Structures are given as structure tokens and as C-alpha cells.
Amino acid sequence: MANPPFQLSLQTAQGKSPSSQVPNLTPPVTPIAKERPPRSTLSPFQDSPSISKDNAGTLLFTDDLEICRDEIDRSVEFGRGVWSIVYKARSLHRPQTNFPGTPPSSPVTKSQLLAVKAPLRRDARPVLNAEAATLTRLTQTKGHKQYIVPFLGYHVELGALVMTAVPTSLATYIEEQSKRARTRQPVTQGMFEPVQGPESYQQLACKLIAGLNWLHQVAGVVHGDIKPHNILLRPVETDGCENPDFPYDPLYADFSATVDIPADADAPLDTTRASMSSFTPPFTAPEMLASLTSTEIAPTPASDVFSLAATLLAAATGDLLLYPNMNHRLRLEMARAGHQIIDFTRSGMSGSRVPRNGFVERIVKPAVVKDPAQRIATSDWVELASA
């Protein structure tokens, strides 16, 4: 039986192409998925689930939503990935009920800009359900406001995650800084430094590593899919007297591949979530690429460390692909030899930005060693980045 209609100021365009005028919040590059069934052509808002035990304990979003639309009446997207599509939306305040004999309250016109992450396929609903549970727990963990995307709740009728919109991603920032570096005169100025400048880069590295340390040591989770596209940048609020070199707080987003770190160090990681995840070379640790179809492999703290190190290399060079001018097969082969990632990067067009014994190499090298057990721990990495 079809679900009864629900009261939402929400519309979707059937058969119309989405808008792409807004910076991406999800990867623009196509990841390699362990399982990729044919993409559904159904609207992500069809077949709405009912409240069930799967949502027990999950933070719920109960306000009304309005999907933003462009000048030709298309739904505006922030981006899309393997499992989901992220819409730009606004919250709507419900009218207040006035009891007889009381004066009407002043109308509330202020609305909040939101990012609504809705399932792109039918089989994506369990993924978003699990991500909502993870975000609920992370949001209840001390320190979360500094490190993760603001989660406002799970919208049961839509099967969607509702978050505060943070329209700028680290991927977009890297592209902008790379373009600026290419137009800098003289062109050789700063060619041995990260594209954004050494001070700004060090601040970015320190914040990202601190965030990963919080995820591992405080929140007790492995992110599982760290890359520039899954890191959002929120402008730093200042009193006007401070001008930080890197004026953003990087926030980790997209927890669809996240797994819990067991309290018992000898206990195996849960592979249930891992079997539904996707990978994007070269930001995926080589041990994770060993078998893309395995359901027994799960991301680990060490694989997160590698992925963040690769992200820091991309931020330094300005190359989101890290191995540009390579076809897909060669890029995958190089990613499988990820312990050589510094040498591969240094041999590229922007390799001069990773000088030997420079800050970039010092911060990345201990995080990409071949044996995952020998990679630097996040607590030690925080100290190294701050030194």
C-alpha cells in the first residue's frame, strides 16, 4: 500500500536534469564501488519508509523542508555520489497555533540553509540509515562541533540526512589555490612550497590531523573514506583582529563507510558497513585496494591515516588526481603501490612542491609506510604536525 502523503513543502523534478551550479559536497570523480547495481531512475523521495526500530535512538529532523530550485525550476544540487544525492534546501518554520484570547505571535521569516542527503537508489536506504545512527552518536560526543559536519537529524519520510549547509569543500579549495598558483607572477614564485603557502598549509594539516585524532581516540570510529571531497570548509569566525593564514575549520563529512573501533584491541572490525562502501584511488590505502570485491576487509585507523596523508599531498600539489595524465588503469596500479606515493607525486608536474626533507614530506612519510601496523598513530601525528 502506498504511503499516505506527508506535509512537506518539497517538490522534485521528474525527468529533468539537476543543476550543477553549486560547488560539490560529494565526489565529482567516480569512485570504484565494491558492488554497483544499475542506477535507479526513480525519484529518491519515492517509497518513503515508515518509522521503525531501525530509527530508534537516531536524532530525527521534524521541521518542514523546501528544496531550492533554480531559474528553470530544477532542484538545486550540492552534489552526488555513489549512494546519495545532496540537495540544497531551506527549513520552514511551522505556523504557531494561537489559543483563543491570546494575541497572534510575530511571524518568523528566518530560515536555515540546509544540505539534504537523500538516497539515490533503493539499496542506499540502509546505508543512510546507518550513517544517521553514526552521526547521531558523533553529535553526542564532546568536541564534535569542531570536527564534523553539523548534523540536524534523519528525515524519516525522505530517508534522508539533514545537515547545515557548508557549501565549500576542500576539493574546491584545492582547485582554487592551484589555479591561483598557476597565474602567479613570476610563475616560479613559491614553486617549492604548497600551492596555498607554507603557513596556511601547516594550519590546514594540523587541523585535519587533530580532527582525525578526535575521530579515532575520542569518538572511536574509523571514517573509511577520507578524501578532499569529503572534507568541508567552514569559515572561521573572528573578532576582526585575527587573520589566520588558513581561515577555515575543516569538517569531516560522509560517514557512509564508517566502522566502530572495538574497545577490545584484539576484536575484529565489523565488515558489514565496509561491504557497502566505495573507494577512490589514490586516496584509498593500498591494503584496501587489494581486493575490491571482498566483504571481509574493513577500513582501519591505519587506512584512515594513509587516506589523510594522500589528501595532504593533494592539498600541497594542487592536483586532486595526484597522478595526473594517467589513465584509469595506471592510476589504480600506482594506488596499489601506495607506499611509493611521495615518489610518484614528486615525479609529477607539481613535484617541486614536495621537496626532500621539507614539511610536506616530513608530515606525510610516516603515514604512508607499506606496513599498516608501522604507520604513525594519530596522537603522535598531532605532535609531529605541530612541531
Side-chain angles (χ1 to χ4, degrees):
M1 179 182 295
N3 292 317
F6 45 88
Q7 295 182 351
L8 285 175
S9 298
L10 193 87
Q11 295 178 341
T12 57
Q14 298 293 338
K16 296 181 180 180
S17 59
S19 170
S20 59
Q21 298 178 356
V22 186
N24 287 340
L25 288 188
T26 54
V29 291
T30 302
I32 295 177
K34 286 186 174 181
E35 297 179 1
R36 185 176 295 179
R39 182 167 155 182
S40 172
T41 58
L42 296 176
S43 164
F45 301 118
Q46 292 180 358
D47 298 331
S48 303
S50 59
I51 296 178
S52 68
K53 64 181 181 179
D54 294 334
N55 307 119
T58 298
L59 179 64
L60 300 181
F61 185 87
T62 57
D63 288 346
D64 291 336
L65 294 174
E66 180 182 44
I67 298 297
C68 297
R69 310 185 75 80
D70 62 16
E71 63 279 359
I72 57 175
D73 202 36
R74 297 178 303 181
S75 301
V76 177
E77 297 179 19
F78 279 126
R80 60 173 65 201
V82 172
W83 303 103
S84 60
I85 180 170
V86 183
Y87 291 103
K88 181 180 180 182
R90 293 188 182 278
S91 60
L92 297 178
H93 296 275
R94 292 173 178 168
Q96 297 181 354
T97 301
N98 294 311
F99 295 99
T102 60
S105 51
S106 301
V108 179
T109 58
K110 183 179 180 181
S111 63
Q112 186 177 4
L113 187 62
L114 305 174
V116 178
K117 183 177 181 180
L120 191 58
R121 312 183 319 216
R122 291 181 186 275
D123 59 346
R125 291 189 180 278
V127 180
L128 295 189
N129 255 318
E131 185 175 0
T134 296
L135 281 168
T136 296
R137 184 160 62 82
L138 294 179
T139 300
Q140 296 169 348
T141 304
K142 184 178 180 180
H144 70 93
K145 292 182 179 179
Q146 188 176 352
Y147 300 119
I148 67 169
V149 60
F151 176 60
L152 302 181
Y154 179 70
H155 200 295
V156 177
E157 289 90 345
L158 303 181
L161 311 180
V162 182
M163 299 160 285
T164 301
V166 185
T168 301
S169 70
L170 180 59
T172 300
Y173 176 81
I174 290 173
E175 290 177 326
E176 291 173 349
Q177 295 300 312
S178 178
K179 181 178 180 180
R180 184 174 301 176
R182 289 194 301 269
T183 58
R184 188 178 297 136
Q185 295 297 329
V187 293
T188 56
Q189 181 181 350
M191 64 181 296
F192 298 105
E193 301 173 348
V195 291
Q196 68 192 84
E199 293 82 8
S200 176
Y201 179 82
Q202 183 171 6
Q203 289 181 12
L204 168 63
C206 288
K207 289 182 176 182
L208 284 173
I209 294 170
L212 184 60
N213 185 62
W214 179 85
L215 285 174
H216 290 179
Q217 304 298 329
V218 180
V221 297
V222 175
H223 184 281
D225 193 18
I226 295 175
K227 53 192 171 189
H229 314 84
N230 286 344
I231 298 170
L232 308 181
L233 301 181
R234 179 179 60 199
V236 173
E237 295 183 2
T238 64
D239 55 8
C241 298
E242 300 178 3
N243 292 301
D245 293 295
F246 183 71
Y248 298 97
D249 286 327
L251 305 174
Y252 285 95
D254 194 347
F255 292 87
S256 58
T258 298
V259 296
D260 293 337
I261 299 175
D264 183 357
D266 296 326
L269 290 172
D270 180 14
T271 60
T272 305
R273 296 281 294 278
S275 65
M276 297 185 294
S277 64
S278 58
F279 300 104
T280 306
F283 299 103
T284 303
E287 65 271 15
M288 296 293 295
L289 294 171
S291 177
L292 294 176
T293 59
S294 173
T295 59
E296 299 301 322
I297 191 170
T300 65
S303 66
D304 266 0
V305 166
F306 181 95
S307 296
L308 182 53
T311 297
L312 290 172
L313 274 177
T317 62
D319 290 327
L320 284 178
L321 294 177
L322 273 179
Y323 313 138
N325 303 321
M326 299 285 179
N327 61 40
H328 177 76
R329 183 183 63 81
L330 287 176
R331 191 176 295 119
L332 180 58
E333 289 303 314
M334 295 172 79
R336 283 175 170 151
H339 62 286
Q340 302 179 63
I341 190 170
I342 295 177
D343 293 332
F344 292 153
T345 303
R346 191 175 281 137
S347 63
M349 293 181 60
S350 302
S352 63
R353 299 189 182 280
V354 190
R356 297 187 183 279
N357 301 317
F359 176 79
V360 177
E361 183 184 60
R362 291 200 307 271
I363 206 71
V364 170
K365 189 173 182 179
V368 296
V369 294
K370 188 173 184 178
D371 183 358
Q374 299 301 315
R375 290 178 195 149
I376 191 169
T378 54
S379 55
D380 296 330
W381 210 11
V382 169
E383 294 184 11
L384 179 62
S386 302

